[in-house]
Amino acid sequence: MPPTIYDIADHADVSTATVSRVLNDESKVAPDTRDRVMKAAQSLGYQPHASAQNLARNRTDTIAVVVPLLANYFYMGVLRGIQNALAPKSYDLLVHAPSHPDAVEEQVRRAAQRGRSDGVLLLSAPLHEDIANSLDESSQPVVLVDTRHPDYESIYVDNHRGGYKATCHLLEAGYQRIGHITSGTPEPDPAAERRRGYEEALDEVGHPRASSLVARGSQEPFAFAKDGGYTAMKRLLQRDPPPDAVFAASDMQAIGALQAASELGVRVPEEVALLGFDDIDVSAHVGLSTLRQPLRDYGELAVEKLTARIQEPDRPVSSTVFDPELVVRDTCGTQTGET
Amino acid sequence: MPPTIYDIADHADVSTATVSRVLNDESKVAPDTRDRVMKAAQSLGYQPHASAQNLARNRTDTIAVVVPLLANYFYMGVLRGIQNALAPKSYDLLVHAPSHPDAVEEQVRRAAQRGRSDGVLLLSAPLHEDIANSLDESSQPVVLVDTRHPDYESIYVDNHRGGYKATCHLLEAGYQRIGHITSGTPEPDPAAERRRGYEEALDEVGHPRASSLVARGSQEPFAFAKDGGYTAMKRLLQRDPPPDAVFAASDMQAIGALQAASELGVRVPEEVALLGFDDIDVSAHVGLSTLRQPLRDYGELAVEKLTARIQEPDRPVSSTVFDPELVVRDTCGTQTGET
DNA sequence: TCCCTAACTGTAAGCGGTTACATTATGAGG
DNA sequence: CCTCATAATGTAACCGCTTACAGTTAGGGA
């Protein structure tokens, strides 16, 4: 049996209250008592029992995050931000990643269970009523990232503006037939908003919005995945006439598109320009032009908001919207300087 | 105040013991009692308190993992495997990522604290005596991934063989001046082993082992990072004569090397062939040839071993060594079929 | 009719800490 | 010398749940 504070109390000939005081606060304990306790703890190799502390303190110093997908560049970026912000605050991170998309709800419930963590971060969580309700009941502090909901702190990017910016950039570069690769069906909100931004930009300059210029990815393994971009691009390039530029709803899809083009012997950006969305880590490696989302900042900001709310549960709900920033690299054919 | 089992007990007019029995086991409870309890729980919106359960059960249904670096392709792969294996077992995952390399020890200690998790997975942890000791004391089940230690279950790859295989492949392809990019100093064990494999292969065929053919990366931001590969490759390519092939100790370094070559206008693989190590996710995207480590399998196997040990703490310690598999893509100039 | 067993259910002691409150000792001020 | 604030420590309740053990009840068998 590992030693408890009772053992320490015995050895140091004090009460458990005193032991606890020595181990935790600075509060009034006589120096030599403190010494005796510390020595006893040391010699017994004492380690506090986390569960017991959590229960007694009604606090876990842990925050939970629900990630739809581990091993995804997008979430990896956010997670890194979270981790960075968490470490100095000495919170631990409980990661809930559903093994299957349908399991999201269960994971949210689990993450929000009382006594498990002090607050919950939800990444890209589609907030069905069900989920919203069980969140409400658990009355845990919650911060949403890459989604929004009027009742919760939210952090997200202006997707519409991103789509618009992307398309404008391509238009300004003189491209005439600008295609778009969107997500699989059902189209998640962010994808729909990006598409609308794209459409609006075209409308504004009076470009035709041929449906033959829009292709849809698949839902597997997830809505913004590479495979979808790959097949969508193949379809687009085989149309007659093919687009001379393509705006993809995500970088992963753009990377799939890149591969499709390469297989068809279509050069990028000479024969077809390509623009992604997200600026995930690998985009820099492959020279993909894109609209940047500050993923790390999402994570850091989310932690700030969450910890603030943990300390002050009634603070007003605030949302933060980021403006996606155009990052010009090799694939959009408008590069002026260096990589 | 959220409802507790006492509230349920009151409402259903039974004792807390019965409530607990209804909520947990199948053990003997009269059907209508069960009903009353369930109804009460339902109507009160009862949720068990995780910390309290953990304390009473002396079990957390959580496993902890210490990752040197979040947001790294290598660990992302392993994490995904871990997650996959964990979900069906309904364990939760506590992720400890040190914000700074020096904080590893602290994170290990934290992860191993009693009452926090039921077992610990250590990824690439350098096992100083200190750490080994505090692990010992905590007497938690432990599994090591990408490291080995006789006292613990370990999962790792045969790095020496990988280095050897890589170099042999390049030799067989007819390259004459085979360079090597190793990690920053101090060289982690895996890097040293890969380098020795490289050296042994050269020795065997009587090739000279010019130190001018070996370059070292930097330690920042971590030993196998892209930046190190980038600078090392620049140095190698500026030597006279430059190598005609390079074996990099990691894929990230190889990707940095790729970038260096591109900036110097040196074509890969025509002017210099390149081989990486790990087969991280992005390698496929950039067509990097490499030696594959089955990262997902590491994670899954690690979980299997750990959970087995949790259930049966005295089972014999077993190690699993994987054989790295050569994956030929574009960068080593020996491609025969398609990508 | 009486005893015994099986089926339920309740009592209360933990699990390992934290902490409000009570108690004791100490020394300063009058 | 007495009073009282103050510092140091102890007592014991409590956090919310689990579970060993004891108690109750009802039905079956002799």
Side-chain angles (χ1 to χ4, degrees), chain A residues 157-187:
Chain A
V157 76
D158 188 338
N159 287 300
H160 180 276
R161 191 166 155 70
Y164 180 81
K165 265 186 167 178
T167 313
C168 286
H169 179 72
L170 293 172
L171 284 169
E172 281 160 18
Y175 293 105
Q176 293 297 317
R177 297 179 46 77
I178 301 177
H180 179 50
I181 297 176
T182 182
S183 75
T185 345
E187 200 177 29

Side-chain angles (χ1 to χ4, degrees), chain B residues 2-325:
Chain B
T4 69
I5 51 168
Y6 289 91
D7 299 317
I8 300 185
D10 278 358
H11 279 242
D13 205 35
V14 294
S15 73
T16 60
T18 300
V19 175
S20 179
R21 279 191 279 260
V22 170
L23 264 26
N24 297 304
D25 15 272
E26 344 285 84
S27 80
K28 320 290 172 191
V29 178
D32 69 318
T33 311
R34 177 179 299 272
D35 259 25
R36 288 211 314 286
V37 170
M38 289 305 251
K39 290 236 171 64
Q42 199 77 47
S43 77
L44 292 174
Y46 173 76
Q47 242 193 339
H49 190 287
S51 299
Q53 288 187 315
N54 292 346
L55 178 59
R57 293 176 171 161
N58 191 27
R59 162 164 74 82
T60 60
D61 294 322
T62 294
I63 76 131
V65 56
V66 179
V67 200
L69 213 63
L70 218 48
N72 166 290
Y73 302 101
F74 184 93
Y75 298 116
M76 203 169 77
V78 181
L79 278 177
R80 177 179 210 149
I82 292 174
Q83 186 57 51
N84 282 167
L86 238 33
K89 297 185 189 280
S90 69
Y91 270 98
D92 288 333
L93 217 216
L94 201 44
V95 177
H96 294 264
S99 50
H100 185 79
D102 298 346
V104 174
E105 202 170 320
E106 189 209 321
Q107 294 288 354
V108 171
R109 225 181 290 286
R110 217 180 149 86
Q113 189 192 352
R114 77 206 164 94
R116 191 180 296 292
S117 69
D118 299 345
V120 180
L121 254 28
L122 295 183
L123 309 191
S124 311
L127 277 193
H128 314 303
E129 279 312 305
D130 293 358
I131 294 192
N133 284 342
S134 57
L135 277 181
D136 245 31
E137 275 175 22
S138 78
S139 67
Q140 295 257 48
V142 173
V143 172
L144 266 31
V145 176
D146 189 40
T147 345
R148 68 186 120 152
H149 189 291
D151 297 349
Y152 301 102
E153 312 245 2
S154 311
I155 297 171
Y156 54 94
V157 76
D158 188 338
N159 288 299
H160 180 277
R161 190 164 155 73
Y164 180 82
K165 264 185 166 178
T167 312
C168 287
H169 180 71
L170 293 172
L171 284 168
E172 281 162 18
Y175 293 105
Q176 292 298 315
R177 296 178 47 76
I178 301 178
H180 179 50
I181 296 176
T182 182
S183 75
T185 344
E187 200 176 30
D189 288 348
E193 289 160 13
R194 289 170 201 179
R195 180 173 48 70
R196 275 185 231 113
Y198 155 80
E199 291 168 355
E200 187 176 318
L202 289 189
D203 288 353
E204 263 186 16
V205 297
H207 264 239
R209 262 168 46 189
S211 72
S212 69
L213 284 175
V214 175
R216 213 164 262 292
S218 78
Q219 198 54 244
E220 292 302 323
F222 61 105
F224 290 106
K226 183 180 165 186
D227 292 2
Y230 174 85
T231 51
M233 187 65 160
K234 283 228 159 157
R235 286 204 302 281
L236 284 182
L237 290 179
Q238 279 155 357
R239 292 201 176 136
D240 186 28
D244 56 359
V246 170
F247 162 49
S250 76
D251 280 0
M252 279 315 292
Q253 290 174 298
I255 285 170
L258 224 39
Q259 191 178 321
S262 143
E263 283 181 21
L264 292 177
V266 177
R267 287 177 310 148
V268 177
E270 292 81 355
E271 299 173 67
V272 61
L274 190 59
L275 209 46
F277 202 112
D278 289 343
D279 195 25
I280 57 180
D281 216 90
V282 12
S283 303
H285 301 153
V286 300
L288 178 68
S289 296
T290 189
L291 278 111
R292 159 162 246 281
Q293 297 200 60
L295 302 178
R296 295 261 269 283
D297 295 347
Y298 287 4
E300 289 176 11
L301 183 60
V303 168
E304 293 311 325
K305 288 199 184 213
L306 189 62
T307 52
R309 181 160 291 275
I310 288 170
Q311 277 155 31
E312 193 194 335
D314 296 322
R315 76 204 311 267
V317 170
S318 73
S319 287
T320 305
V321 189
F322 284 87
D323 189 31
E325 180 198 348

Side-chain angles (χ1 to χ4, degrees), chain A residues 2-35:
Chain A
T4 71
I5 51 167
Y6 291 90
D7 299 318
I8 301 185
D10 279 359
H11 279 242
D13 205 33
V14 295
S15 72
T16 61
T18 299
V19 175
S20 180
R21 279 191 280 261
V22 170
L23 263 27
N24 297 303
D25 12 277
E26 345 285 84
S27 80
K28 320 290 174 191
V29 178
D32 69 317
T33 311
R34 178 179 298 273
D35 259 27

Side-chain angles (χ1 to χ4, degrees), chain A residues 14-220:
Chain A
V14 295
S15 72
T16 61
T18 299
V19 175
S20 180
R21 279 191 280 261
V22 170
L23 263 27
N24 297 303
D25 12 277
E26 345 285 84
S27 80
K28 320 290 174 191
V29 178
D32 69 317
T33 311
R34 178 179 298 273
D35 259 27
R36 287 211 315 286
V37 171
M38 289 304 251
K39 290 237 172 64
Q42 199 76 46
S43 77
L44 292 175
Y46 173 75
Q47 242 193 338
H49 189 286
S51 299
Q53 288 187 315
N54 292 345
L55 179 59
R57 293 176 173 163
N58 192 27
R59 163 164 72 82
T60 60
D61 294 322
T62 295
I63 75 133
V65 55
V66 179
V67 200
L69 213 63
L70 219 51
N72 166 291
Y73 302 102
F74 184 93
Y75 299 115
M76 204 169 75
V78 181
L79 278 175
R80 178 179 208 148
I82 293 174
Q83 186 56 51
N84 282 167
L86 238 35
K89 298 185 190 281
S90 69
Y91 270 98
D92 288 332
L93 217 216
L94 202 43
V95 177
H96 293 265
S99 51
H100 186 77
D102 298 346
V104 174
E105 202 170 319
E106 189 209 321
Q107 294 288 352
V108 171
R109 224 181 291 287
R110 219 181 147 85
Q113 190 191 352
R114 78 205 163 94
R116 191 179 296 291
S117 70
D118 299 345
V120 181
L121 254 28
L122 296 184
L123 308 191
S124 310
L127 277 193
H128 314 301
E129 279 312 305
D130 294 358
I131 294 190
N133 285 341
S134 57
L135 277 181
D136 245 31
E137 275 174 21
S138 78
S139 68
Q140 294 257 47
V142 173
V143 172
L144 266 30
V145 177
D146 188 41
T147 345
R148 67 187 121 153
H149 189 289
D151 299 348
Y152 301 101
E153 312 245 2
S154 311
I155 296 171
Y156 54 95
V157 76
D158 188 338
N159 287 300
H160 180 276
R161 191 166 155 70
Y164 180 81
K165 265 186 167 178
T167 313
C168 286
H169 179 72
L170 293 172
L171 284 169
E172 281 160 18
Y175 293 105
Q176 293 297 317
R177 297 179 46 77
I178 301 177
H180 179 50
I181 297 176
T182 182
S183 75
T185 345
E187 200 177 29
D189 289 347
E193 289 159 14
R194 289 170 201 177
R195 180 172 48 71
R196 275 185 231 113
Y198 155 80
E199 290 168 356
E200 187 176 318
L202 289 188
D203 289 352
E204 262 186 17
V205 299
H207 264 238
R209 262 168 48 190
S211 73
S212 68
L213 284 174
V214 175
R216 212 164 263 293
S218 77
Q219 199 53 244
E220 293 302 323

